[in-house]
């Protein structure tokens, strides 16, 4: 093996391009698995030198040009790109296409927008090279120790990639957290929705914390214990676990709880917004994810918050009569709202699969999210069970296990939402989830009135409950009803 002066021909069975934190951790993970030899390349040489020097145990095959990189790989060549999403990904693909041959495989593990992946897959396929868009979840630690992997792409690529990806993925209950999600952009689509659900889950936890803090006067450290306790029960999940850690943390400089010195303006890298934008195009109501995304936006407008501070609100402060009972109500409200968020996310995946022609096994998606990723949670097993029992289940939250949860939780959920509205504590994800739940349950919705209004001002027509056909009322004439062409 050579290091830099020349190149070891065909020495590696897999390569990584882009050696920032994600790429270098994924390369180390690959190298640590039996049978893998990993070629590494980065646009600027320093990162390659540093990685190779710091991890001699990995036996990396460094390359300093795309030609060297291609020469160092066994055929069919397989390269995972971990660079900035967008233009940089296109630049790397173009460079690889100059040195790769038909049958080789390019995997984009960055956070690409799924429509970019569909476009890239189509363009790359024309060259005979396979292109796989792959969602990678779990952040830096996941990349190093075992991520949840959501590859799309062709069946042919999966034959080569499957064993490699299985070897590096997280393992949950004995199963690697990777599956061939579907063709072209399916993997990045599912990763996008994963991130949307993550936004909702985080917002719901934040609302639970806020209600408990303001309703019971408990300190962040005390609330950390509440979350630690919740993590031993049905809410057990990575996000609940790290919430306890964050709330327990004391600021070294001021001695205050860290959460009290962190600026209350939440950032976002855009995948929540993609999830919501896509859901709007598909006509799927992901209201919990949308509220979570908008809540981050609201928090990040300090000027608007400043001039709005004196708007009238309820006069009295809020103290729960029975702190323990209130905390239990909040726990149940959190669980119920969380089920709604996941149910909405799975709806979006099903709608995306129908729109783009992907055959996605929803139960398997829940299964590969049980390990390695940010939304890993005990109750994902119940989602897998629900889809195994009823593969064409059209509303996840109607599965018997979840109906049992709602039976237990709904009174508390309503109480918490009503209390938050009454005392003026914003709980947008709790309340919109409940409204969605009641919307689904409703025997009649006021959509009938909306259809009447649409017909009044735009002759958009309506259907009747008592006979087939499409109708229009002659609103500006004698208001009689006529049969009409469907102009929905
Ligand atoms: N961070 C996470 O938790 C996480 C989780 C899942 C997925 N991802 C995704 O994984 C990818 C990598 O993330 P990251 O945080 O490790 O790195 P990053 O900061 O997103 O990207 C830095 C890497 O991109 C390379 N790069 C930038 N422009 C380039 C260009 N025009 N041509 C070639 N290479 C270029 C850089 O090379 P130089 O060193 O030469 O500048 C460097 O290797 C991203 O798509 C990210 O969205 C990140």
């Amino acid at each position: 093996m050579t290091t830099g002066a020349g190149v070891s021909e065909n020495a590696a069975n897999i390569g990584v391009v882009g050696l920032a934190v994600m790429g270098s951790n994924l390369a180390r993970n690959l190298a640590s698995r039996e049978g893998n030899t990993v070629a590494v390349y980065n646009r600027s040489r320093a990162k390659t030198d540093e990685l190779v020097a710091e991890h001699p145990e990995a036996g990396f095959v460094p390359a300093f040009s795309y030609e060297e990189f291609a020469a160092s790989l066994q055929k069919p060549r397989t390269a995972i790109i971990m660079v900035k999403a967008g233009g940089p990904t296109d630049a790397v693909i173009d460079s690889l296409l100059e040195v790769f041959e038909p049958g080789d495989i390019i995997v984009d593990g960055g956070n690409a927008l799924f429509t970019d992946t569909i476009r890239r897959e189509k363009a790359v396929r024309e060259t005979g090279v396979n292109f796989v868009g792959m969602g990678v979840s779990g952040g830096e630690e996941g990349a190093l120790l075992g991520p949840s992997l959501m590859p799309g792409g062709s069946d042919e690529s999966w034959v080569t990639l499957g064993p490699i990806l299985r070897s590096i993925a997280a393992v949950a209950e004995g199963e690697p957290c990777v599956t061939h999600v579907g063709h072209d952009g399916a993997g990045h689509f599912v990763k996008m929705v994963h991130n949307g659900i993550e936004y909702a889950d985080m917002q719901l936890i934040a609302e639970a914390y806020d209600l408990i803090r303001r309703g019971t006067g408990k300190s962040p450290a005390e609330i950390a214990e509440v979350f630690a306790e919740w993590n031993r029960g049905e809410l057990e999940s990575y996000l609940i676990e790290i919430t306890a850690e964050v709330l327990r943390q004391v600021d070294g400089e001021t001695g205050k709880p860290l959460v009290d010195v962190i600026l209350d303006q939440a950032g976002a890298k855009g995948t929540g917004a993609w999830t919501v934008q896509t859901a709007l195009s598909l006509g799927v109501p992901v209201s919990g994810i949308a509220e979570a995304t908008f809540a981050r936006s609201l928090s990040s407008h300090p000027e608007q918050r400043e001039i709005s501070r004196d708007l009238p609100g309820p006069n009295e402060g809020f103290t729960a009569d029975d702190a323990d009972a209130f905390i239990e109500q909040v726990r149940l409200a959190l669980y119920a709202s969380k089920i709604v968020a996941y149910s909405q996310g799975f709806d979006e995946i099903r709608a995306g699969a129908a729109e783009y022609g992907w055959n996605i096994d929803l139960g398997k998606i829940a299964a590969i999210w049980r390990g390695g990723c940010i939304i890993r949670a005990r109750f994902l097993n119940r989602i897998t069970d629900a889809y195994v029992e009823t593969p064409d289940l059209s509303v996840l939250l109607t599965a018997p296990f979840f109906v049992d949860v709602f039976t237990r939780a709904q009174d508390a959920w309503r109480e918490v939402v009503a209390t938050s509205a009454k005392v003026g504590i914003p709980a947008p994800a709790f309340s919109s989830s409940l409204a969605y739940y009641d919307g689904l349950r409703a025997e009649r919705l006021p959509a009938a009135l909306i259809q009447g209004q649409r017909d009044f001002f735009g002759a958009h027509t309506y259907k009747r409950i008592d006979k087939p056909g499409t109708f229009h009322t002659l609103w500006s004439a004698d208001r009689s009803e006529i049969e009409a062409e469907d102009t929905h």
Side-chain angles (χ1 to χ4, degrees), residues 114 118 181-182 184 186 189-190 278 282 284 346-362:
F114 75 96
I118 292 174
V181 172
D184 55 60
F189 187 96
V190 166
T278 304
L282 292 169
V284 181
F346 277 89
D347 258 4
E348 182 166 352
I349 295 175
R350 198 191 23 254
E355 175 74 17
Y356 295 100
W358 300 318
N359 181 17
I360 300 182
D361 180 335
L362 298 177

Side-chain angles (χ1 to χ4, degrees), residues 285 287 340 343-344 347 397 432-441:
S287 47
V340 167
S343 186
Q344 293 178 340
D347 258 4
L397 53 75
S432 84
S433 305
L434 180 58
Y436 170 86
Y437 175 83
D438 283 333
L440 280 180
R441 279 185 345 98

Side-chain angles (χ1 to χ4, degrees), residues 270-290:
T271 44
W274 287 351
T275 312
V276 178
Q277 284 159 351
T278 304
L280 287 170
S281 312
L282 292 169
V284 181
V286 293
S287 47
I289 300 171

Side-chain angles (χ1 to χ4, degrees), residues 339-423:
I339 293 168
V340 167
Y342 280 70
S343 186
Q344 293 178 340
F346 277 89
D347 258 4
E348 182 166 352
I349 295 175
R350 198 191 23 254
E355 175 74 17
Y356 295 100
W358 300 318
N359 181 17
I360 300 182
D361 180 335
L362 298 177
K364 276 216 177 107
I365 300 304
I368 66 166
W369 287 349
R370 288 176 309 172
C373 67
I374 306 296
I375 62 172
R376 59 186 183 257
R378 185 203 275 197
F379 95 128
L380 283 163
N381 276 319
R382 301 284 82 80
I383 297 182
T384 302
D385 293 348
Y387 284 120
V388 167
E389 269 162 41
T390 317
D392 58 352
L393 183 65
S394 77
V395 186
L396 177 62
L397 53 75
T398 62
F401 176 86
F402 298 125
V403 173
D404 286 349
V405 176
F406 291 123
T407 306
R408 276 193 287 132
Q410 64 137 350
D411 286 346
W413 195 11
R414 294 181 193 288
E415 201 61 47
V416 168
V417 169
T419 301
S420 69
K422 201 155 165 269
V423 304

Side-chain angles (χ1 to χ4, degrees), residues 223-368:
I223 301 173
E225 294 315 310
V226 171
F227 278 92
E229 178 62 33
W230 288 0
N231 199 41
R232 288 188 277 274
E234 59 195 0
L235 279 176
E236 181 190 333
S237 63
Y238 174 72
L239 282 170
I240 294 279
E241 180 190 328
I242 65 162
T243 299
E245 297 289 331
V246 173
L247 290 175
R248 215 173 267 141
Q249 186 70 18
V250 173
D251 175 42
E253 218 168 285
T254 60
K256 293 181 179 166
L258 181 66
V259 72
D260 286 348
V261 296
I262 296 178
L263 193 66
D264 60 347
Q265 296 171 23
K269 285 201 170 165
T271 44
W274 287 351
T275 312
V276 178
Q277 284 159 351
T278 304
L280 287 170
S281 312
L282 292 169
V284 181
V286 293
S287 47
I289 300 171
E291 286 299 348
T293 309
F294 287 135
R296 289 196 192 188
S297 310
L298 187 152
S299 77
S300 299
H301 284 289
E303 66 303 333
Q304 291 191 326
R305 291 172 59 191
E306 182 60 39
I307 61 168
S308 307
R309 195 142 298 142
D310 293 331
L311 286 171
N315 288 327
E316 74 271 29
F318 166 54
T319 308
D321 296 336
D322 178 338
D324 289 342
F326 181 65
I327 289 169
E328 177 57 9
Q329 284 180 331
V330 172
R331 187 187 72 81
L332 288 165
L334 174 57
Y335 194 23
S337 305
K338 182 176 158 123
I339 293 168
V340 167
Y342 280 70
S343 186
Q344 293 178 340
F346 277 89
D347 258 4
E348 182 166 352
I349 295 175
R350 198 191 23 254
E355 175 74 17
Y356 295 100
W358 300 318
N359 181 17
I360 300 182
D361 180 335
L362 298 177
K364 276 216 177 107
I365 300 304
I368 66 166

